[in-house]
Amino acid sequence: MGRTGLWLVGARGSVATTAVCGLLGLRAGLVPPTGCVTELLDADLPPWDSLVVGGHDVVSTPLVKRAEQLARAGVVPAELLGPVSAGLREVQANLRDVPQGAQVEVAARLVADLASFRSRHDLERVVVVNVASTEPPVDPHPAHASAAALEKALAAGEAVLPPSSLAAYAAFKAGCSFVDFTPSTGVALPALAELAAVVGVPYAGRDGKTGETLVRTVLAPMFTARALRVRSWAGTNLLGGGDGSTLEDPAHASSKLRTKASGLSALLGHPVTAPLHIDNVPELGEQKTAWDHVLFEGFLGARMTLQFTWTGLDSALAAPLVLDLARLLAAAHRAGRVGVQGELGFFFKDPLGSTEHGFAEQTRVLAEWAGEL
């Protein structure tokens, strides 16, 4: 297997920088692959040293400086900074600013950047992964209905796609597979699904499942299997950093809240009262805390509760999954898989192409799918 490109949308953000630091550490044998699910799978996947990283971003913070910030926040080990600094500068040379202008012109520039990246590094294929900030939900537009309608609207100079969807469009036009690790609209438009099929590339998404929702998808099937009826499941999320400031805006938070709540009723087999709140606490920095209160009913109507608190560093939880998805989508592309890969629902809160939310079943499906690549 030749070399594989990993193109990060939001390449200078916390998740992307953590992923790059981790990848460089893995290559050098300086860190173990803790959290990397692909290390547990029996599958023919690109090795760590075959991944070449590039990306787009709207900010200009150098990767070395961003890594230093993450080290101070406790996400990246301080002792790793020296050994990976040269590698970070190499990746920095592959980063490009997000172009401005009419969407048809921006898309052409994005496609050109991807093509140049693939050519310069002699890459067999490129996987584009969206780890940019969460966007507000997008209103439906006639151009979203089909690839032809979308191409016509863009050619006419219309701005019909949010940034996440424009990134997916450019990825497909460049012949790249695409992963939406965010709750933004991204690839979840009929026109883009059609374009992926025409081009012949796989994609997966959306919204990486790293913390509270991960626990929910493990615990909720327990109640169902034991015939215990959940009456309510309330959650509160406290977070800082870039996510905290972005999700402080109700319009942006609505995308996140929708994906976090999407699977609960399906897992429990009935509608459930499930209020969910996200609060920005800047002092938490990169840390995120989630508190859940579950009220359930047992034999003879006995009322009982379960409470849990999850405190984690979201970038450290998300970064290995980003690397996993790059390896898996590259292998799927090589194997001729086309369109949405619902078997990768294991990684997502709102899995495209799948209605399964139970973690145990998702794990089984993923292992079976990966073994067939």
Side-chain angles (χ1 to χ4, degrees), residues 26 32-41 48 319-321 323-324 327:
L26 286 168
T34 306
C36 296
V37 176
T38 46
E39 291 294 288
L40 307 176
L41 298 175
W48 298 121
L321 305 185
L323 299 177
D324 283 334
R327 300 177 83 193

Side-chain angles (χ1 to χ4, degrees), residues 17 61-70 81 84-89 92:
T17 306
T61 307
L63 281 183
V64 170
K65 182 175 180 59
R66 190 72 189 94
E68 291 170 352
Q69 294 169 348
L70 290 169
L81 293 179
V84 304
S85 60
L88 287 172
R89 284 189 285 270
Q92 179 76 35

Side-chain angles (χ1 to χ4, degrees), residues 133-338:
S133 297
T134 299
E135 302 166 354
V138 63
D139 293 329
H141 189 284
H144 300 163
S146 70
L150 177 59
E151 298 284 9
K152 182 178 179 181
L154 291 174
E158 295 184 55
V160 295
L161 294 175
S164 60
S165 299
L166 193 60
Y169 171 82
F172 294 156
K173 295 291 282 187
C176 306
S177 53
F178 186 83
V179 177
D180 202 343
F181 204 76
T182 82
S184 302
T185 301
V187 71
L189 295 175
L192 295 178
E194 182 183 338
L195 180 58
V198 170
V199 175
V201 293
Y203 65 90
R206 65 185 168 165
D207 199 5
K209 182 167 61 179
T210 57
E212 179 189 32
T213 308
L214 173 64
V215 179
R216 286 182 169 197
T217 59
V218 173
L219 290 179
M222 173 193 72
F223 289 104
T224 304
R226 290 297 298 270
L228 299 170
R229 185 172 182 83
V230 173
R231 306 293 301 219
S232 66
W233 196 313
T236 295
N237 289 249
L238 309 176
L239 63 160
D243 270 357
S245 58
T246 298
L247 297 176
E248 192 171 27
D249 180 349
H252 289 80
S254 63
S255 293
K256 193 75 171 178
L257 291 170
R258 181 190 58 77
T259 61
K260 286 175 72 68
S262 61
L264 196 53
S265 294
L267 286 167
L268 296 171
H270 60 84
V272 62
T273 300
L276 189 60
H277 302 280
I278 298 177
D279 296 310
N280 179 28
V281 184
E283 292 74 14
L284 287 175
E286 295 292 327
Q287 184 172 289
K288 180 165 70 175
T289 294
W291 173 75
D292 276 34
H293 181 283
V294 185
L295 174 65
F296 64 99
E297 192 174 85
F299 194 50
L300 304 179
R303 293 289 184 95
M304 293 166 274
T305 61
L306 165 70
Q307 298 181 48
F308 70 83
T309 302
W310 173 284
T311 299
L313 293 165
D314 209 38
S315 296
L317 292 163
L321 305 185
V322 169
L323 299 177
D324 283 334
L325 285 161
R327 300 177 83 193
L328 290 164
L329 259 291
H333 195 180
R334 181 195 62 208
R337 304 295 177 94
V338 175

Side-chain angles (χ1 to χ4, degrees), residues 1-6 49-53 94 113-126:
M1 185 183 299
R3 298 207 295 173
T4 296
L6 166 55
D49 60 5
S50 75
L51 297 181
V52 181
V53 183
N94 292 328
D113 286 344
L114 288 166
S116 174
F117 175 62
R118 180 167 46 207
S119 175
R120 282 185 292 111
H121 296 283
D122 192 25
L123 305 172
E124 283 194 358
R125 54 193 57 84
V126 177

Side-chain angles (χ1 to χ4, degrees), residues 99 102-115 166 169-170 173-174:
Q103 286 199 334
V104 66
E105 297 168 355
V106 171
R109 284 278 305 282
L110 297 177
V111 170
D113 286 344
L114 288 166
L166 193 60
Y169 171 82
K173 295 291 282 187

